[in-house]
């Protein structure tokens, strides 16, 4: 008993940290309708600014606290509402998740650029002194200020928020605004202001959590930060994103159980090294599979959504024949020029960069197919790429199999994993599916990829030249370029064909309306598994190509953050079309390479740029490239129309 | 209220559009205090859009909308609601995810403190005992007819100056439609002017003091209910002829 307490009690502050975030997630979902995966990033901002003020500017703690928590926290929440979430129609689950993701990807990268690197420090505990041992549980389990502060913070926050949400006028209006802001306006309530208030409250809570959690042992950084978010997401999921007390209790349990198990398990065992880190993810997967409430998320739709104007038609549909011919000619000319350049004058550095871009493009095509065509959001695409890369590496290592052949085998393996993932999550859609894939990605990150048998431990697998048939490493041999180009052309053509063919129509029908698609006889489960399997294969092929170029396949190479970045980048450029994926791939590496010439401090900006792009997604879900394409097409059509009308006059310049 | 002959709701040359798709072309009509106007016309004629423009859900692209003499074009919906115009939208007009009681409280709390809210609740439950039975249930679990009654209960307890009711009878069993129309008659007795958007012409005309017939976003008829029947038939006829011509050419 004494030993149990000794192991369990240190878990309490962790559990409380998870609880504060879990409650925050439920709060944001209940009051704004957004499952804000960026909530952790919001907390990070406040913690970061607090540290910056205290460390760099020697502000008194209370002043830094007021600035970071009372001003920056709600201010950030208001800004998120004003500039992002307000523009997203409440029915567009994908847009909401992607926007949250871009915050998660972008904000932590942006802060060091603006403020320089910081060591996070926390506010001194408000009531209790962290170092004082206040009393002992049992005979000799010390309870110090950290424990008491964590528990106090969690309980107070929970009580205040539950009261706010369930008993006040504002809480009722917030919940109503989530379902239908317009219906709420008809009651004479300014729904925008209610939603803005909700964001401000959530921002305040996030700031509070960020600053107050830092003094406990739980730092809001790197790996801890992931575990923190996943444990919080798992707890929120078990509470079906509905009940804050349930979320809090589950979160504390996760913390306590992890630490207790950590105490009892021998450090060398499999259970300690793999199962324990995976515990929160397993809880999340279990919740997604077995909590019935999660299947009905986002089902309360706005009855007045028909007030919004319908979306504009896609570009291809409105392009005239003449413009179409012009576009095609220019495209092939550019393609030819690009290939010739690569084979002749392109400097090796840039050839390498562009090759990498093409390999990324192949991975991004998997997003095009799955998210753009089938409308299924997956946050595990980098993981699938990694599965193929490691499979190919291990096959080459143990069986001496050619890496290209191994890559193909790996693609099949990735395809199977994706199919199994789809099968496991057949009953989930939208947010639930996104979380399921995220959990899978994290599971691979934490428990599977680091294993000796998979990646060869932390060093990863180093590719040896004898594994490759052609001299793919030779700097000017162009062999790698030709291989990647061939694969990209095949994959792009394949995806385009799938999109136009029967399968593509089925998938598009499923994206439009699952109910409608089922009504015309589309076998939804099968189509979904098919979409995932195809997409997994594409991601796998791309992953193997990337691995060839990187020459070392390290376990951290294909982590969940990369998956998030993938989705964010592709939706930025355009998720619906093959061109969108290729532009995303090339764009990513070109921007990254250009950043090499920028000052050291700005290095992190690459993802910020794409995150900013994804914020444009809120306003234009078709993607930046698609948007510009439509504008240019319309312009071209106008010019042509004018020329047809007045063939005798020379080209008209300027406006009438 | 008596002696004031300014119309309570007045639309003057109102046009409106959903993005690039135009729906109304210069619609004008007015509703006198305490009057009942039936808003009729075939599907797609713009009836719901008129209702939405009146309540501010869809902004008028030109023309003016006056509620109680005040020009409200460009005002947000919540402000128009505070001027005394209530709009029960087509289909579902209640919050699915809130309980029946929360739906009512949401509506009442704008007007008074706790005491007044509970008084209002009592009143609503007295008129519709069924709502009291199910007050803890989520409104989404109510049947279509019960949801309409819930919408009416809000309006009955705190009568607005004008109520725009969009297709209240849509998808309801005939008996339930009777209940809904009984509720509407009650609302009228409270002195509220009504704009009743309806597909069931006879039901609406029985209650109406005047009628508007819409045809493809324009007013085809505005006058006493007696002439509305013929106007509707004419519009429907014209449409059918247009279809036949389109099909034969």
């Amino acid at each position: 008993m004494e030993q149990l307490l000794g192991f369990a009690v240190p878990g309490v502050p962790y559990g409380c940290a998870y609880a504060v975030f879990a409650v925050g997630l439920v709060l944001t979902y209940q009051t704004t309708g957004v499952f804000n995966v960026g909530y952790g990033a919001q907390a990070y901002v406040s913690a970061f600014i607090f540290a910056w003020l205290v460390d760099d500017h020697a502000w008194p703690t209370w002043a830094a606290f007021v600035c970071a928590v009372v001003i920056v926290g709600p201010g950030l929440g208001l800004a998120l509402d004003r500039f992002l979430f307000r523009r997203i129609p409440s029915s567009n689950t994908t847009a909401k998740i992607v926007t949250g993701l871009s915050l998660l990807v972008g904000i932590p990268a942006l802060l060091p650029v603006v403020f320089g690197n910081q060591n996070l420090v926390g506010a001194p505990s408000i009531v209790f002194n962290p170092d004082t041992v206040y009393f002992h549980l049992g005979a000799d389990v010390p309870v110090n200020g950290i424990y008491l502060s964590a528990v106090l913070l969690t309980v107070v926050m929970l009580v205040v928020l539950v009261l706010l949400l369930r008993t006040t006028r504002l809480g009722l209006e917030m919940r109503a605004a989530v379902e239908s802001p317009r219906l709420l306006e008809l009651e004479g309530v300014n729904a925008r202001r209610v939603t803005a208030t909700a964001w401000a409250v959530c921002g305040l809570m996030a700031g509070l959590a960020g600053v107050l959690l830092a003094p406990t042992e739980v730092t809001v950084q790197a790996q801890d930060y992931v575990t923190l978010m996943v444990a919080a997401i798992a707890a929120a999921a078990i509470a079906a994103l509905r009940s804050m007390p349930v979320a809090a209790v589950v979160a504390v349990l996760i913390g306590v159980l992890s630490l207790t198990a950590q105490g009892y398990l021998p450090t060398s065992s499999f259970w300690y090294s793999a199962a324990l880190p995976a515990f929160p993810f397993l809880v999340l997967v279990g919740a997604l599979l077995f909590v019935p409430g999660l299947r009905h998320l986002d089902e309360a739709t706005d009855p007045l959504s028909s007030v919004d104007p319908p979306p504009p038609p896609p570009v291809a549909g409105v392009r005239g024949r003449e413009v179409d011919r012009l576009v095609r000619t220019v495209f092939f000319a550019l393609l030819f020029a690009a290939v010739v350049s690569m084979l002749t004058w392109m400097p090796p550095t840039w050839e390498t960069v562009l090759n990498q871009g093409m390999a990324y493009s192949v991975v991004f095509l998997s997003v095009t197919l799955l998210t753009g065509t089938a409308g299924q959001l997956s946050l595990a695409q980098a993981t699938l790429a990694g599965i193929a890369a490691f499979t190919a590496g291990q096959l080459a290592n143990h069986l001496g199999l050619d890496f290209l052949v191994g890559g193909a085998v790996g693609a099949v393996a990735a395809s199977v994993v994706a199919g199994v993932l789809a099968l496991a999550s057949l009953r989930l859609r939208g947010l639930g599916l996104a979380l399921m894939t995220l959990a899978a990605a994290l599971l691979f990150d934490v428990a599977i990829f680091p294993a000796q048998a998979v990646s060869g431990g932390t060093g990863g697998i180093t590719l040896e030249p004898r594994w490759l048939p052609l001299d793919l490493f030779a700097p000017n041999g162009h062999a790698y370029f030709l291989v990647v180009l061939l694969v990209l052309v095949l994959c792009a053509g394949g995806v385009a064909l799938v999109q136009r063919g029967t399968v593509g129509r089925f998938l598009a029908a499923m994206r439009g309306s699952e109910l409608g698609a089922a009504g015309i006889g589309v076998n939804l489960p099968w189509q979904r598994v098919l979409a995932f399997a195809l997409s997994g294969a594409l991601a796998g092929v791309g992953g193997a190509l990337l691995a060839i170029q990187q020459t070392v396949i390290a376990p951290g190479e294909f982590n969940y953050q990369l998956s998030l970045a993938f989705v964010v980048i592709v939706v930025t450029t355009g998720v619906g079309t093959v061109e969108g994926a290729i532009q995303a791939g090339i764009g990513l590496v070109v921007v990254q390479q250009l950043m090499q010439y920028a000052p050291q401090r700005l290095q992190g900006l690459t993802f910020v740029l794409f995150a900013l792009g994804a914020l444009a997604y809120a306003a234009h879900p078709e993607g930046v490239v698609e948007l510009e394409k439509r504008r240019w097409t319309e312009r071209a059509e106008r010019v042509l129309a004018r020329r047809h009308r007045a063939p005798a006059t020379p080209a008209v310049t300027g406006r009438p | 209220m008596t002696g004031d002959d300014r119309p309570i709701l007045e639309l003057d040359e109102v046009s409106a559009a959903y993005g690039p798709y135009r729906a109304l072309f210069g619609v004008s009509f007015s509703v006198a205090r305490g009057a009942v106007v039936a808003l009729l016309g075939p599907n797609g004629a713009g009836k719901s859009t008129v209702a939405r423009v009146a309540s501010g859900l869809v902004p008028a692209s030109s023309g003016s909308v006056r509620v109680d003499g005040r020009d409200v074009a460009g005002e947000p919906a919540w402000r128009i609601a505070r001027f005394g115009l209530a709009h029960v939208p087509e289909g579902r007009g209640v919050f699915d995810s809130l309980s029946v009681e929360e739906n009512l409280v949401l509506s009442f709390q704008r007007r008074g403190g706790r005491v007044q809210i509970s008084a209002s609740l009592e009143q609503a439950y007295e008129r519709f005992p069924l709502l009291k039975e199910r007050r803890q249930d989520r409104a989404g679990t109510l049947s279509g007819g019960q949801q309409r009654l819930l919408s009416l209960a809000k309006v009955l307890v705190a009568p607005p100056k004008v109520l725009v009711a969009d297709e209240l009878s849509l998808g309801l069993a005939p008996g339930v439609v009777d209940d809904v129309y009984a509720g509407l008659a009650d609302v009228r007795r409270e002195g509220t002017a009504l704009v009743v958007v309806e597909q069931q012409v006879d039901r609406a005309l029985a209650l109406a003091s005047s009628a508007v017939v819409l045809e493809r976003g324009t007013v085809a008829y505005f006058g006493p209910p007696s002439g509305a029947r013929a106007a509707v038939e004419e519009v429907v006829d014209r449409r059918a002829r247009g279809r036949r011509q389109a099909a034969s050419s």
Side-chain angles (χ1 to χ4, degrees):
Chain A
M1 187 61 205
E2 200 67 356
Q3 196 191 11
L4 178 66
L5 268 182
F7 288 142
V9 171
V12 171
Y14 286 95
C16 288
Y18 303 158
V20 168
F21 279 87
V23 168
L25 286 174
V26 175
L27 175 76
T28 357
Y29 188 75
Q30 287 282 315
T31 58
T32 66
V34 177
F35 186 78
N36 186 9
V37 271
Y39 189 83
Q42 277 177 270
Y44 187 68
V45 169
S46 285
F48 199 96
I49 287 181
F50 182 80
W52 181 66
L53 290 174
V54 172
D55 277 8
D56 287 13
H57 297 265
W59 281 34
T61 324
W62 66 266
F65 182 85
V66 168
C67 181
V69 175
V70 183
I71 298 172
V72 171
L76 184 60
L78 285 174
L80 293 185
D81 174 49
R82 178 72 187 76
F83 297 110
L84 298 176
F85 290 102
R86 184 181 289 181
R87 296 157 189 245
I88 306 175
S90 60
S91 57
N92 194 341
T93 312
T94 309
K96 285 191 284 191
I97 300 174
V98 167
T99 309
L101 285 179
S102 54
L103 294 177
L104 192 63
V105 173
I107 287 182
L110 179 66
L111 286 176
V113 176
V114 181
F115 298 104
N117 281 314
Q118 294 296 325
N119 291 319
L120 292 183
V121 295
S125 285
I126 3 167
V127 187
F128 303 103
N129 183 355
D131 300 325
T132 313
V133 174
Y134 284 84
F135 57 91
H136 287 78
L137 272 179
D140 57 352
V141 181
V143 174
N144 63 23
I146 290 176
Y147 296 57
L148 294 180
S149 301
V151 172
L152 182 74
L153 168 69
T154 313
V155 171
V156 168
M157 196 180 266
L158 189 62
V159 170
V160 169
L161 291 180
V162 168
L163 287 179
L164 171 76
L165 210 55
R166 295 288 151 192
T167 64
T168 67
R169 176 176 169 168
L170 182 64
L172 186 56
E173 288 175 352
M174 283 174 179
R175 285 185 289 144
V178 169
E179 186 177 328
S180 172
R182 292 202 179 89
L183 212 48
L184 184 61
E185 297 239 314
L186 292 183
E187 298 290 353
V189 178
N190 185 347
R192 281 196 168 176
R193 190 186 293 164
V194 168
T195 307
T197 314
W199 277 103
V201 170
C202 294
L204 179 71
M205 286 302 143
L208 207 56
V211 171
L212 291 182
L213 285 177
T216 67
E217 299 148 81
V218 188
T219 53
V220 192
Q221 257 175 338
Q223 193 54 39
D224 288 337
Y225 178 65
V226 177
T227 323
L228 179 70
M229 276 320 283
V230 174
I233 291 175
I238 287 192
L241 299 184
R242 185 172 281 276
S243 159
M244 292 193 280
V246 173
V249 169
V250 173
V252 171
L253 276 181
I254 292 178
V256 170
L257 283 179
S258 308
L259 274 246
T260 311
Q262 203 173 356
Y264 279 110
L265 293 170
T267 45
S268 56
S269 73
F270 160 79
W271 291 106
Y272 189 89
S273 62
L276 199 55
F279 177 60
F281 315 122
L282 295 177
V283 174
L284 177 54
V285 171
L288 288 167
L289 290 182
F290 300 114
V291 175
L294 288 177
R295 283 175 220 140
H296 308 292
L297 288 181
D298 298 323
E299 265 185 12
T301 49
D302 185 351
L304 290 171
S305 54
S306 64
V307 171
D308 290 320
V315 191
V318 296
R319 205 154 70 186
R321 196 185 298 161
E322 207 166 334
V323 177
D324 198 52
R325 205 178 321 139
L326 188 74
V327 168
R328 271 165 206 270
T329 319
V330 172
F331 170 74
F332 281 110
L334 282 180
L335 182 68
F336 183 72
V339 172
V340 170
S341 316
M342 285 292 264
L343 292 177
T344 52
W345 59 268
M346 191 67 73
T349 333
W350 278 95
E351 182 171 343
T352 315
V353 166
L354 291 176
N355 284 341
Q356 199 184 12
M358 289 195 291
Y360 272 124
S361 302
V362 176
V363 181
F364 290 170
L365 281 172
S366 73
V367 180
T368 304
L369 189 68
L370 192 60
T371 307
T373 308
Q376 312 289 321
L377 188 59
S378 160
L379 305 180
Q381 294 311 100
T383 307
L384 296 173
I387 290 172
F390 286 122
T391 309
Q394 291 296 350
L395 285 177
N397 202 2
H398 291 293
L399 304 178
L401 198 64
D402 185 302
F403 198 85
L404 288 181
V405 179
V409 177
V412 173
S415 169
V416 170
V417 171
V420 170
L421 186 60
L423 270 179
S425 45
L426 274 183
R427 286 200 283 190
L428 301 166
R429 60 179 60 86
L431 181 55
L433 184 64
L435 287 179
M436 186 72 171
T437 52
L438 179 65
L442 288 163
L443 197 61
F444 271 87
D445 277 2
V446 175
I448 298 180
F449 284 164
Q452 187 75 27
V454 177
S455 63
T458 45
I461 305 172
T462 307
L463 263 64
E464 292 171 30
R466 66 185 166 84
W467 295 351
L468 295 162
L470 304 156
D471 195 7
L472 291 184
F473 294 133
N476 278 320
H478 305 302
Y480 181 70
F481 165 66
L482 291 174
V483 168
V484 181
L485 182 68
L486 180 70
V487 172
L488 177 59
V489 168
L490 284 179
C491 289
V495 170
L497 282 180
V498 166
Q499 280 184 329
R500 271 178 227 169
T502 318
V503 173
R505 306 268 182 221
F506 281 165
L507 296 182
M510 179 165 76
R511 182 188 68 215
S513 156
E514 299 217 337
L515 211 60
I520 56 165
V522 176
N523 183 346
L524 288 179
W526 163 242
Q527 293 298 338
R528 195 194 264 196
V529 171
L530 184 68
F532 264 89
L534 284 176
S535 157
L538 282 169
V541 171
L545 288 178
L546 279 175
I548 294 178
Q549 197 174 32
Q550 276 154 0
T551 67
V552 177
I553 323 170
E557 202 84 26
F558 297 97
N559 58 19
Y560 84 103
Q561 278 164 313
L562 201 58
S563 295
L564 303 191
F566 282 180
V567 173
V568 167
I569 290 167
V570 180
V571 297
T572 303
T573 55
V575 75
T577 56
V578 170
E579 303 96 279
I582 296 173
Q583 277 146 346
I586 304 291
L588 171 65
V589 292
V590 168
V591 170
Q592 251 172 357
Q593 182 63 23
L594 289 178
M595 281 291 168
Q596 299 280 316
Y597 305 119
Q600 183 66 35
R601 201 176 174 186
L602 299 182
Q603 300 286 305
L605 269 184
T606 316
F607 283 138
V608 177
L609 286 180
F610 281 101
L612 282 179
L615 304 187
Y617 178 70
H620 299 283
E622 71 273 32
V624 179
V625 171
E626 285 299 306
L627 178 68
E628 287 306 315
K629 222 160 73 181
R630 194 173 69 231
R631 285 196 184 145
W632 281 99
T633 313
E634 279 167 6
R635 240 169 261 170
E637 296 280 8
R638 267 205 302 279
V639 171
L640 282 177
R642 224 177 294 165
R643 202 183 288 167
H644 283 305
R645 226 180 295 136
T649 49
V652 186
T653 52
R655 294 200 185 89
Chain B
M1 221 168 263
T2 47
D4 189 355
D5 54 356
R6 257 184 337 187
I8 191 77
L9 174 67
E10 200 176 5
L11 274 73
D12 190 14
E13 288 297 317
V14 168
S15 299
Y18 296 93
Y21 307 101
R22 298 180 63 188
L24 296 183
F25 306 84
V27 169
S28 309
F29 69 92
S30 61
V31 183
R33 254 161 228 286
V36 179
V37 170
L39 194 52
L40 309 169
N43 279 336
K47 304 185 298 290
S48 289
T49 311
V50 168
R52 288 165 174 180
V53 168
S55 66
L57 286 179
V58 170
S61 47
S62 68
S64 72
V65 180
R66 280 187 292 280
V67 175
D68 204 5
R70 192 187 326 228
D71 191 350
V72 298
E75 294 277 4
W78 59 272
R79 202 165 281 155
I80 296 178
R82 288 188 184 185
F83 293 153
L85 182 143
H87 175 189
V88 178
E90 184 183 347
R92 179 161 61 83
V94 298
F95 292 97
D96 255 6
S97 56
L98 304 184
S99 72
V100 170
E101 182 150 311
E102 282 173 333
N103 265 287
L104 290 171
V105 169
L106 186 67
S107 200
F108 300 150
Q109 68 184 2
R110 189 161 47 85
R111 299 191 187 81
R114 261 168 215 287
V115 184
Q116 211 171 341
I117 290 176
S118 51
S120 302
L121 279 176
E122 277 311 306
Q123 223 179 319
Y125 291 147
E126 207 174 306
R127 173 68 180 79
F128 299 103
L130 179 130
L131 295 180
K132 184 169 192 176
E133 251 167 62
R134 305 205 48 183
R135 65 181 180 203
Q136 297 302 335
D137 294 351
R138 283 182 45 197
T141 62
L142 297 181
S143 73
Q146 291 166 343
Q147 291 188 3
R148 309 289 157 79
L149 294 183
L150 175 55
S151 297
L152 282 178
K154 295 181 187 178
V155 180
L156 265 175
V157 172
K161 292 177 190 157
V162 53
L163 169 68
V164 180
D166 194 353
E167 303 264 12
L168 278 189
S169 67
L170 191 75
L172 300 188
V176 186
V177 178
D178 291 342
D179 292 347
V180 169
Y181 268 82
L184 273 183
D186 285 353
V187 176
R188 189 192 182 182
R189 264 194 292 282
E190 300 285 338
T192 298
L194 295 177
V195 177
V196 182
V197 178
E198 233 348 316
Q199 295 267 10
Q200 302 192 14
V201 177
D202 294 333
R203 288 266 188 195
L205 288 180
L207 192 70
S209 51
S210 58
V212 174
V213 178
L214 288 176
E215 180 182 15
R216 302 169 74 180
T218 57
V219 175
Y221 174 86
F222 175 39
S226 50
R229 183 90 249 176
V232 169
E233 269 158 21
E234 206 176 304
V235 167
V236 171
D237 256 13
R238 248 201 305 275
R239 212 156 95 129
R241 262 205 309 279
R243 285 238 177 92
R244 271 200 300 275
Q245 268 164 15
S248 61
S249 65

